[in-house]
Amino acid sequence: MDVSNSCSSFSSSSVDSTKPSPSESSVNLSLSLTFPSTSPQREARQDWPPITSRLRDTLKGRRLIRRGNDTSLFVKVYMEGVPIGRKLDLCAFSGYESLLENLSHMFDTSIICGNRDRKHHVLTYEDKDGDWMMVGDIPWDMFLETVRRLKITRPERY
Amino acid sequence: MGLRLPSKVLEHILSFIDSNEDRNSVSLVCKSWFETERKTRKRVFVGNCYAVSPAAVAKRFPGMRSLTLKGKPHFADYNLVPDGWGGYAWPWIEAMAAKCPSLEEIRLKRMVVTDECLEKIAASFKDFKVLVLTSCEGFSTDGIAAIAATCRNLRVLELRECIVEDLGGDWLSYFPETSTSLVSLDFSCLDSEVKISDLERLVSRSPNLKSLKLNPAVTLDGLVSLLRRAPQLTELGTGSFAAQLKPEAFSKLSEAFSNCKQLQSLSGLWDVLPEYLPALYSVCPGLTSLNLSYATVRMPDLVELLRRCSKLQKLWVMDLIEDKGLEAVASYCKELRELRVFPSAPDLDEANIPLTEQGLVFVSKGCRKLESVLYFCVQFTNAALLTIARKRPNLKCFRLCVIEPFAPDYKTNEPLDKGFKAIAEGCKDLRRLSVSGLLSDKAFKYIGKHAKKVRMLSIAFAGDSDLMLHHLLSGCESLKKLEIRDCPFGDTALLEHAAKLETMRSLWMSSCFVSFGACKLLSQKMPRLNVEVIDEHPPETRPESSPVERIYIYRTVAGPRMDTPEFVWTIHKNPEIGVSHLAIK
């Protein structure tokens, strides 16, 4: 059967060996396409498990509050390897520079945007499609619209 | 039999009949009964806004007082229906405005509602009383302001989980300056802060207010002030609890709650710190409904709260409650009818929560009145399902979401077929069922055979072959809504049971192996079904045998709809015309 528009097959830690072998009329089950964006590697899916976006966002710790002319956008920040995270109001920063400065101060280490470096921690973020991206590529305003949470990666990993 | 019942007498008899199912039966008896029934029907329910035209409904029920409409398929809640699919409220509002001026209540679910719609409602229905929008989108706070300002007799304004363009909190000041007739106000889904003074004044001049659900922007201080002004509330949705605990703040909060002697339902509780929970203790004994699904609080604190809630009938909570917490619920909350347990860590790679199938077993054993369950759990066992079915044959709604797709019974490594068989067989009144975990075609044979009253069935990542769908469509006598994702069945069963589809409201299939060719055949074979293919790429550019991404099939007397976006393909009944998308806005 021509499955020309399938994307990556589902890879999970489930016990695949015990699943009964598919019958003739079925092929390898593939992940459902979720357009407009179709990214094969996703750390978090937006359509499974079946919970509403509101709950999903709440669990990710993203909270948008508007008070008069001020806006607060709280997101969770984790340092890779450290189980306890922090919460940060991204609207308190004017842009990437002040964000990095603050984070470096908060976590007491040097954090950068951009490419891998043996010395520095690199800042990444999860966007609204569930993909992990490098911080710094898009305009700050756009970043605020799409960011769900932040992760500071360890230098060696990259 | 020559005796005819005078229409006045029939009208009087019908005034005692509320259920629409009964009224539908009445309307089929004969022409005069049809006429009398349609003129006297006050509450109209349309489960699929595309099943019938607004004009036809408006014409048939000119005396309608209440209209309830549903738009998008249920799976839209989980991001499976792309934006722009449809479900527009405007044609309905327009038609009702023209023909049904005595309309007082509008309830919409999963529809696109614009500010123009809201302004039209405000302008057209003189005695408008109730507006409930659930999971709707497309409007801004300007539209809400129009309703507030114009509908002088407004009793209910509820925005439940809507996506609203929030232009600020001004809308609240548009309610009438003298007293309002508000009974229920729910703006929990809005982001912006509203002026607390506006809220205070509104509450003070709304003597009938019984239900108030605030948004997270309302602070604890605000909450205290509001509770002081509205101690008569029976339903409360708090704002955010995110504030540092100060002793005076705590005692003020405690006192405010203790004065709310009629409080029965509590929700909100965003960011609640465990230290604040004792402030709620005074209302616990009277609570019948508690929604803790946004409260990321640990088990011991949850138990301290719940053991005081002896009258609790409805509990929504996170899996942070753990098995132990549910054991406590089973022993303290003997009146429990509905339990929903949500996942706190939906990404499987995150923390391990000690919530297993055992938690649900405890509640099934201890809570005799339990009839509705929604349970998210990483894995499950057949034994647990058998126990649940045996203990709770009175279950009406059973939705189990095993978060790990294809997860078998983790103790025996078998599929969960036996377990769901027990549920289908044992719970004879089951109306709604969601299955998950590793399931073979056999499971669906049992469900098809035994789940005679199930009206809505949801399936994900299950089955082996076409047999699965065959079993379901040849059984399940009462099936009205079937939604399936990521299952390996194809064309055969679908085409074989085409007639069944006309007895149902709708069928949703995504990421299955139904081919475009089958969709075409089905559409041409069944004139009263709309077969919609939702696919990014035009189906004609691929071989007919290639599977389509998503299909939504529903019965309709209105013909194919005219408002489809570019990614929705309706197949013409005339085979010569083929496929098109009639994107007329």
Side-chain angles (χ1 to χ4, degrees):
Chain A
M1 191 190 267
D2 181 34
V3 201
S4 53
N5 59 342
S6 68
C7 63
S8 70
S9 53
F10 187 86
S11 58
S12 82
S13 49
S14 69
V15 264
D16 277 318
S17 55
T18 61
K19 184 184 183 326
S21 52
S23 69
E24 239 179 59
S25 61
S26 66
V27 290
N28 287 328
L29 215 53
S30 44
L31 263 184
S32 59
L33 274 174
T34 320
F35 60 93
S37 97
T38 55
S39 45
Q41 258 97 37
R42 301 160 72 100
E43 215 180 272
R45 302 196 54 168
Q46 296 304 301
D47 57 40
W48 186 264
I51 58 177
T52 57
S53 319
R54 186 162 286 271
L55 184 59
R56 204 179 293 277
D57 276 349
T58 303
L59 294 175
K60 292 199 175 149
R62 179 188 157 96
R63 172 63 50 74
L64 176 72
I65 298 179
R66 280 186 220 137
R67 295 185 199 284
N69 287 324
D70 299 320
T71 313
S72 299
L73 177 58
F74 286 93
V75 297
K76 287 185 187 167
V77 188
Y78 281 93
M79 166 82 90
E80 209 168 24
V82 180
I84 310 285
R86 303 291 299 265
K87 244 192 163 167
L88 210 60
D89 178 5
L90 291 182
C91 292
F93 308 112
S94 50
Y96 290 120
E97 260 190 55
S98 67
L99 170 65
L100 283 173
E101 211 183 290
N102 230 280
L103 279 177
S104 301
H105 195 280
M106 203 185 242
F107 287 89
D108 202 24
T109 181
S110 149
I111 301 172
I112 59 161
C113 288
N115 295 313
R116 63 202 280 180
D117 192 296
R118 265 172 300 159
K119 272 194 296 177
H120 301 99
H121 290 71
V122 173
L123 185 60
T124 62
Y125 71 100
E126 185 182 15
D127 73 3
K128 68 174 185 231
D129 295 323
D131 303 319
W132 285 94
M133 314 288 285
M134 202 81 84
V135 165
D137 289 334
I138 55 176
W140 178 249
D141 289 335
M142 213 186 270
F143 171 67
L144 291 180
E145 292 286 309
T146 186
V147 62
R148 288 300 181 263
R149 52 183 166 162
L150 298 173
K151 186 160 71 181
I152 304 166
T153 63
R154 277 205 277 253
E156 318 81 62
R157 270 293 194 98
Y158 260 90
Chain B
M1 192 171 140
L3 204 63
R4 207 173 130 178
L5 208 58
S7 61
K8 281 287 168 210
V9 176
L10 184 57
E11 259 182 58
H12 182 70
I13 296 173
L14 290 183
S15 66
F16 294 103
I17 302 183
D18 276 330
S19 133
N20 276 347
E21 248 183 85
D22 290 340
R23 278 183 163 266
N24 289 345
S25 305
V26 164
S27 66
L28 291 174
V29 168
C30 65
K31 271 200 181 134
S32 75
W33 280 45
F34 177 88
E35 282 299 305
T36 309
E37 192 285 310
R38 77 174 187 85
K39 284 177 188 155
T40 57
R41 189 179 301 206
K42 299 275 182 288
R43 318 190 69 83
V44 175
F45 172 82
V46 179
N48 173 6
C49 66
Y50 290 120
V52 60
S53 79
V57 176
K59 188 169 173 211
R60 182 172 168 186
F61 303 113
M64 81 165 82
R65 294 284 156 86
S66 154
L67 176 64
T68 303
L69 282 175
K70 294 188 182 180
K72 298 186 206 169
H74 171 240
F75 273 176
D77 285 354
Y78 316 126
N79 290 327
L80 281 170
V81 178
D83 283 339
W85 172 85
Y88 303 103
W90 176 257
W92 288 88
I93 308 296
E94 208 184 11
M96 299 310 140
K99 289 250 155 84
C100 309
S102 47
L103 192 59
E104 296 175 353
E105 306 182 6
I106 295 179
R107 293 174 174 82
L108 304 176
K109 190 167 189 180
R110 290 189 208 101
M111 294 195 75
V112 177
V113 181
T114 57
D115 283 347
E116 287 73 36
C117 289
L118 296 174
E119 284 153 18
K120 185 87 170 161
I121 291 174
S124 314
F125 307 111
K126 296 300 154 213
D127 207 17
F128 197 69
K129 295 196 168 78
V130 173
L131 182 64
V132 178
L133 302 176
T134 307
S135 303
C136 293
E137 49 167 352
F139 59 102
S140 78
T141 42
D142 281 351
I144 305 298
I147 297 277
T150 321
C151 305
R152 300 271 118 178
N153 291 321
L154 192 67
R155 294 205 189 134
V156 174
L157 177 59
E158 291 176 9
L159 308 174
R160 303 179 185 171
E161 312 246 326
C162 293
I163 300 177
V164 184
E165 190 193 346
D166 197 333
L167 304 167
D170 274 344
W171 61 273
L172 198 66
S173 59
Y174 282 78
F175 282 100
E177 277 302 321
T178 51
S179 74
T180 79
S181 35
L182 274 180
V183 173
S184 169
L185 177 63
D186 179 352
F187 62 98
S188 51
C189 62
L190 298 182
D191 288 326
S192 284
E193 185 183 36
V194 298
K195 270 208 222 103
I196 193 64
S197 52
D198 282 346
L199 247 185
E200 285 166 352
R201 274 186 288 113
L202 179 65
V203 167
S204 297
R205 66 186 196 275
S206 305
N208 298 329
L209 195 66
K210 289 273 185 253
S211 170
L212 180 62
K213 296 191 180 163
L214 309 167
N215 69 349
V218 175
T219 60
L220 270 182
D221 281 339
L223 176 63
V224 170
S225 153
L226 292 169
L227 287 180
R228 286 209 188 116
R229 286 168 165 77
Q232 79 280 9
L233 286 179
T234 58
E235 286 188 2
L236 172 69
T238 72
S240 165
F241 271 61
Q244 284 196 317
L245 186 68
K246 288 177 216 151
E248 330 89 61
F250 177 84
S251 59
K252 270 196 236 164
L253 189 65
S254 219
E255 193 191 330
F257 269 108
S258 64
N259 282 327
C260 295
K261 305 218 185 285
Q262 297 175 53
L263 206 58
Q264 290 176 325
S265 162
L266 189 57
S267 60
L269 300 168
W270 290 284
D271 309 316
V272 68
L273 295 172
E275 292 82 4
Y276 276 118
L277 291 179
L280 306 174
Y281 288 172
S282 60
V283 297
C284 287
L287 283 183
T288 54
S289 167
L290 184 53
N291 183 350
L292 294 165
S293 50
Y294 294 107
T296 42
V297 171
R298 298 269 156 202
M299 183 269 294
D301 301 303
L302 286 171
V303 171
E304 253 324 285
L305 187 69
L306 289 167
R307 68 178 188 81
R308 293 168 153 86
C309 301
S310 56
K311 287 211 191 119
L312 204 61
Q313 295 179 19
K314 175 170 138 176
L315 174 63
W316 292 19
V317 72
M318 295 218 131
D319 58 8
L320 301 167
I321 193 170
E322 300 177 17
D323 288 342
K324 236 177 155 197
L326 287 176
E327 191 177 12
V329 168
S331 81
Y332 293 114
C333 307
K334 290 299 190 192
E335 297 296 312
L336 199 68
R337 282 147 169 76
E338 179 180 328
L339 175 69
R340 293 197 190 187
V341 180
F342 296 100
S344 60
D347 306 333
L348 287 171
D349 52 324
E350 284 184 21
N352 270 319
I353 305 288
L355 178 98
T356 69
E357 77 283 0
Q358 192 52 42
L360 187 54
V361 170
F362 284 137
V363 178
S364 302
K365 283 183 176 167
C367 302
R368 298 233 167 90
K369 300 187 183 176
L370 187 71
E371 52 180 36
S372 175
V373 171
L374 169 60
Y375 200 77
F376 284 83
C377 190
V378 177
Q379 36 192 18
F380 227 75
T381 63
N382 279 313
L385 285 168
L386 265 100
T387 308
I388 293 165
R390 198 177 67 242
K391 289 288 176 185
R392 294 276 63 78
N394 52 323
L395 280 175
K396 293 211 170 81
C397 168
F398 187 74
R399 297 160 72 187
L400 176 66
C401 180
V402 176
I403 302 179
E404 179 81 52
F406 311 119
D409 176 328
Y410 70 91
K411 289 192 175 148
T412 65
N413 257 346
E414 291 173 346
L416 291 177
D417 298 349
K418 275 191 240 165
F420 279 108
K421 174 182 186 220
I423 295 279
E425 250 186 320
C427 306
K428 301 205 188 311
D429 281 331
L430 202 62
R431 297 252 185 300
R432 185 168 176 184
L433 177 63
S434 299
V435 301
S436 52
L438 184 65
L439 292 165
S440 77
D441 288 340
K442 252 205 242 155
F444 299 101
K445 185 171 173 194
Y446 302 138
I447 293 172
K449 187 170 170 204
H450 296 289
K452 295 185 193 301
K453 291 204 181 150
V454 166
R455 295 171 55 95
M456 182 168 178
L457 183 54
S458 310
I459 306 170
F461 302 106
D464 305 315
S465 72
D466 269 1
L467 268 181
M468 162 200 168
L469 191 62
H470 164 77
H471 288 316
L472 290 175
L473 295 181
S474 55
C476 295
E477 285 97 321
S478 308
L479 194 61
K480 290 278 169 278
K481 286 184 280 183
L482 179 57
E483 46 186 24
I484 309 179
R485 57 166 294 180
D486 295 89
C487 294
F489 65 83
D491 304 336
T492 323
L494 190 62
L495 291 171
E496 193 187 327
H497 298 282
K500 168 86 171 175
L501 300 179
E502 246 186 47
T503 68
M504 292 164 52
R505 184 187 296 172
S506 65
L507 167 59
W508 168 277
M509 295 176 289
S510 54
S511 306
C512 300
F513 293 107
V514 179
S515 74
F516 174 58
C519 292
K520 259 180 35 185
L521 256 176
L522 185 65
S523 177
Q524 281 145 13
K525 195 168 150 184
M526 308 294 299
R528 281 181 304 198
L529 286 184
N530 272 359
V531 178
E532 290 186 10
V533 171
I534 301 166
D535 202 312
E536 219 176 351
H537 311 289
E540 307 143 296
T541 62
R542 304 194 311 254
E544 286 219 345
S545 58
S546 71
V548 293
E549 287 165 8
R550 293 152 220 229
I551 310 164
Y552 186 49
I553 303 172
Y554 53 91
R555 67 178 171 191
T556 179
V557 294
R561 58 184 176 113
M562 308 295 263
D563 59 2
T564 50
E566 0 169 80
F567 52 82
V568 175
W569 310 86
T570 9
I571 296 151
H572 263 286
K573 305 301 175 182
N574 181 345
E576 280 171 18
I577 298 182
V579 170
S580 69
H581 54 84
L582 308 161
I584 301 166
K585 293 276 183 272

